[in-house]
Amino acid sequence: MTESGAGLGGPPSTDARRRGLTRSQSTFVVRSAQYLALIAVIVVIALIGDWSRFNTQFLNLDTVGKTFPRMLKVGLVNTLLFTLAAFVVALVVGLVVALMKISSFWLYRALANIYIEIFRGLPALVVLFLVNFGLPVVFPDSEFVRNFYVKVGLGLGLTAAAYVAETIRGGIQAVPRGQTEAARSLGMSQGRAMATIVLPQAFRIIIPPMTNQLIYLVKDSSLVYALGVTAQQYELTKLGQLFATGGVTGINAGSTPLILSGVFYLVITLPLSQVVAALERRQAKRRF
């Protein structure tokens, strides 16, 4: 057994007991020391950093004014389109895989498990490459699969579907079994009971984790730059990198465009995070 008790909220240490400190006084001393250490680190960083150079490189308002319109009209719009396409694919495929996984037919369960294990184990970038270069080979005459937004939606969505499927399965299994039994006792078929009774309740339960998955897709949309995109297909990360290296304006704009692209990502993800937090608080209140 340790005699130190130096952890947060722990019992007073031997030294503290010797000094006659109560438990709350000991906790106050430890936390005050931690706060002072944190303030000291911040002060040291503030004093030794070259912040004028940082402002020039990362917070140049003149560069912001030049790059903001295109980041908004092209980068942000394409990021949202890529995310939306991927989320629709993930939701549809994930729902099918989830229903297969809870099926009473062993072959469906086996196929669902294989899908989840494969796509959960592969990096999203690998899947994106396979879809982008593989679909035109398999379907050479199809203009639909050659559409860039379709390929991005499939490439990102198929990976996300593995996680969405597990989320939906968990939501379905969280619905009390009595709901299904009551629906069947009223003469509903298994499929109708699932579609009208179970799934609506399951989706209310899984809205917070599904919103998290949407946030992941927003960030994963930055992988699209690796496929090689045209000027009208740039998303936020690619556009910010091109602006930073002078690939768009012909002038090295420093790292300010990358900061601006990061701000745009936060504009999308922070409200979604707040939605998740609000939904989780609402669900917590319902449980009590």
Side-chain angles (χ1 to χ4, degrees):
M1 178 182 294
T2 178
E3 291 291 330
S4 64
L8 287 176
S13 65
T14 302
D15 291 341
R17 288 198 295 270
R18 287 172 182 168
R19 291 194 300 268
L21 297 178
T22 64
R23 182 172 182 173
S24 60
Q25 289 173 330
S26 177
T27 301
F28 175 77
V29 170
V30 171
R31 288 184 176 172
S32 297
Q34 292 173 340
Y35 292 146
L36 288 174
L38 177 61
I39 292 172
V41 170
I42 293 173
V43 170
V44 169
I45 292 175
L47 291 176
I48 66 175
D50 188 349
W51 297 108
S52 61
R53 187 178 179 186
F54 177 84
N55 288 337
T56 303
Q57 285 289 320
F58 290 87
L59 300 174
N60 190 318
L61 295 180
D62 184 52
T63 300
V64 171
K66 293 177 180 176
T67 58
F68 184 88
R70 191 162 183 184
M71 294 283 279
L72 179 67
K73 295 177 182 176
V74 178
L76 181 61
V77 169
N78 279 328
T79 295
L80 292 175
L81 289 175
F82 295 150
T83 302
L84 180 62
F87 188 70
V88 169
V89 172
L91 191 60
V92 173
V93 177
L95 176 59
V96 173
V97 174
L99 293 176
M100 290 173 65
K101 184 153 184 178
I102 61 174
S103 170
S104 57
F105 186 33
W106 69 269
L107 181 58
Y108 287 163
R109 294 199 306 275
L111 291 174
N113 284 328
I114 291 172
Y115 179 91
I116 290 171
E117 293 303 323
I118 288 177
F119 282 93
R120 200 164 52 182
L122 289 175
L125 187 58
V126 172
V127 178
L128 198 57
F129 276 129
L130 289 173
V131 170
N132 184 58
F133 299 115
L135 279 182
V137 174
V138 178
F139 306 101
D141 300 324
S142 174
E143 290 298 325
F144 179 73
V145 299
R146 289 178 178 277
N147 183 284
F148 187 74
Y149 294 92
V150 171
K151 289 190 290 186
V152 170
L154 288 172
L156 295 177
L158 289 176
T159 302
Y163 299 94
V164 170
E166 288 289 65
T167 302
I168 294 176
R169 179 185 64 82
I172 292 173
Q173 292 179 336
V175 177
R177 194 174 182 81
Q179 299 279 334
T180 305
E181 294 172 351
R184 295 300 304 275
S185 68
L186 294 174
M188 290 187 182
S189 64
Q190 182 70 28
R192 186 180 176 189
M194 177 63 71
T196 60
I197 303 297
V198 177
L199 284 181
Q201 297 183 67
F203 272 93
R204 278 199 295 272
I205 295 171
I206 65 174
I207 284 178
M210 290 291 280
T211 310
N212 280 330
Q213 189 61 49
L214 182 59
I215 293 174
Y216 294 143
L217 283 174
V218 171
K219 295 187 291 185
D220 282 351
S221 66
S222 63
L223 298 174
V224 173
Y225 83 94
L227 299 180
V229 293
T230 67
Q232 297 305 315
Q233 295 167 344
Y234 292 154
E235 38 70 46
L236 287 171
T237 301
K238 180 64 176 177
L239 199 53
Q241 182 259 329
L242 281 176
F243 273 126
T245 56
V248 177
T249 61
I251 303 173
N252 190 335
S255 300
T256 300
L258 294 175
I259 295 292
L260 184 58
S261 67
V263 170
F264 274 113
Y265 279 114
L266 292 177
V267 167
I268 302 171
T269 57
L270 288 182
L272 291 175
S273 298
Q274 293 304 309
V275 170
V276 172
L279 290 171
E280 288 177 341
R281 286 195 298 270
R282 187 176 176 183
Q283 289 187 355
K285 287 181 180 177
R286 286 179 177 176
R287 286 195 292 269
F288 295 101

